[in-house]
Amino acid sequence: MTSAGLAAAPETPAAADTAGTAVADSALAGALCLDDVERAAAAVLPADVRDFVAGGSGAESTLAGNRAALDRVRLVPRVLRDVSECDTSTTLLGRPVSLPVATAPVGYQKLAHPEGERAAARAALRAGVPFTVGTLSSVPLEEVASPEAVTWFQLYWLRDRELTFDLVRRAEDAGCSAVLLTVDVPWMGRRLRDVRSGFTLPREVVAANLAVGAHSSAHRATAGASALATHTSEAFAASVSWADVAELRRRTRLPLVVKGLLDPADAVRAVECGVDGVVVSNHGGRQLDGAVASIEALPAVAAAVAGRCQVLLDSGVRSGVDVLRALALGADGVLVGRPVVWGLAAGGERGVARVLDLLRDELRDALGLAGCADVAAARGLRVWDGSAGGFRTARAGAGEDEGAGER
């Protein structure tokens, strides 16, 4: 598609009454952190959608654990380094980006705003970061990708193998620059908030890339069940294996990323399949409840990969300091998901732009205060990793003063 597809458009906040919209607009204008944006979104999102976005699986112990584990990581700043020009830019999957952040794949974004993925993609383009359009996008991927943008396509492996590969071909033709294969969802985890609310998609929100329209099982309410869980169980292949990853590698010319790894042995297998990146992720606490926090799994995965592919992290990132924590523990960048939805709900494109601007400002502040002139220097920071009970660095010999950032 042409750049016209991402042209500016009216920004109508998520469905809510006028008073709620006014509250969200006011809150968004004064938002100083992502928690503020979340509160602005809460003013306009219907309760069942709010729970769908916020919730995790089971008792939500992994959901809570992601945040607790990030907070346990303490950075050890360096001093007397020239940080007068902190540079947040880097390269992700071979493309220059303005900061080591990409939007995570979040399905059905029209639940938060009438323009859904279109508005979020425009904000990502303005911010100079990759936008990830998902298999379950509520807008066709061709209407999200543009030649000017860095767009990644997130793929779920479907029971219909040819449809799976057709989605990849469509992503290539649309100008996407990478494929992210999500591998931790043989079926949807037991998300009790959705079960209790009987969460069901409204007719106007569809899986636009799958051509099932408003007649899928995701739109049929069943007492005591999540319609989305029913739909994904019908659509997703629980039999996907490393052989399928290898076949996908042969079938696409795009950089390939495997998303949803926590065990370093799986990261090694991914590298052996020829992937260009892995995402250390527990799906935001929405799959196996009781799984290790993503930030806790990151150091071992980064060590196992040993620079043979890029390493990204998601699940629980809520600030520029969190981004710096991930960089210091071995990540090349992070993905953010729920905050994008909050921004959409609170103000459409403008709300997502606010989320990304806050992350940029916070990351620059964190880099400078930690004595890092750029993203590369963050890999040399020592951290007190409470989960490991000691100090660690992502880069061997990083305690010396030869590292980046010394001027």
Side-chain angles (χ1 to χ4, degrees), residues 88-183:
T88 63
S89 66
T90 189
T91 300
L92 294 180
L93 301 179
R95 300 289 290 270
V97 294
S98 69
L99 65 163
V101 171
T103 72
V106 178
Y108 305 116
Q109 291 184 23
K110 282 189 176 182
L111 287 168
H113 188 275
E115 284 200 279
E117 289 81 358
R118 291 187 188 92
R122 288 197 302 268
L125 173 59
R126 283 172 46 192
V129 302
F131 179 80
T132 308
V133 57
T135 294
L136 298 180
S137 170
S138 53
V139 175
L141 68 93
E142 291 85 357
E143 296 180 21
V144 176
S146 77
E148 297 83 4
V150 179
T151 308
W152 298 345
F153 175 66
Q154 177 268 336
L155 177 69
Y156 282 120
W157 201 276
L158 305 175
R159 290 176 184 263
D160 186 335
R161 289 175 63 86
E162 286 312 307
L163 177 55
T164 302
F165 291 121
D166 181 62
L167 285 171
V168 175
R169 288 190 292 270
R170 286 174 57 189
E172 292 174 341
D173 292 344
C176 293
S177 59
V179 174
L180 276 65
L181 174 64
T182 298
V183 295

Side-chain angles (χ1 to χ4, degrees), residues 7-60:
E11 297 178 5
T12 304
D17 59 33
T18 303
T21 299
V23 169
D25 283 345
S26 176
L28 181 61
L32 299 179
C33 63
L34 297 194
D35 287 346
D36 291 341
V37 180
E38 181 180 16
R39 284 187 283 271
V44 293
L45 284 174
D48 61 339
V49 176
R50 188 166 62 246
D51 276 344
F52 168 67
V53 173
S57 61
E60 299 188 348

Side-chain angles (χ1 to χ4, degrees), residues 3 92 119 211 220 225 230 242 248 257 262 282 300 306 309 314 360 387:
S3 59
L92 294 180
R220 293 195 292 271
T230 300
W242 288 110
L248 179 59
V257 178
L262 293 169
N282 57 36
C309 73
D314 75 15
R360 175 182 290 103
S387 63

Side-chain angles (χ1 to χ4, degrees), residues 269-351:
R269 287 291 301 272
V271 170
E272 291 170 349
C273 288
V275 304
D276 301 277
V278 296
V279 182
V280 181
S281 170
N282 57 36
H283 216 93
R286 292 161 77 81
Q287 285 302 104
L288 175 63
D289 192 37
V292 63
S294 296
I295 196 71
E296 292 174 331
L298 172 62
V301 170
V305 165
R308 291 175 290 174
C309 73
Q310 288 204 303
V311 178
L312 305 172
L313 173 129
D314 75 15
S315 304
V317 173
R318 297 293 180 266
S319 70
V321 171
D322 288 344
V323 178
L324 183 57
R325 286 166 164 148
L327 296 173
L329 286 174
D332 294 289
V334 305
L335 280 65
V336 293
R338 289 180 177 95
V340 170
V341 181
W342 302 338
L344 265 179
E349 178 183 345
R350 182 170 55 87

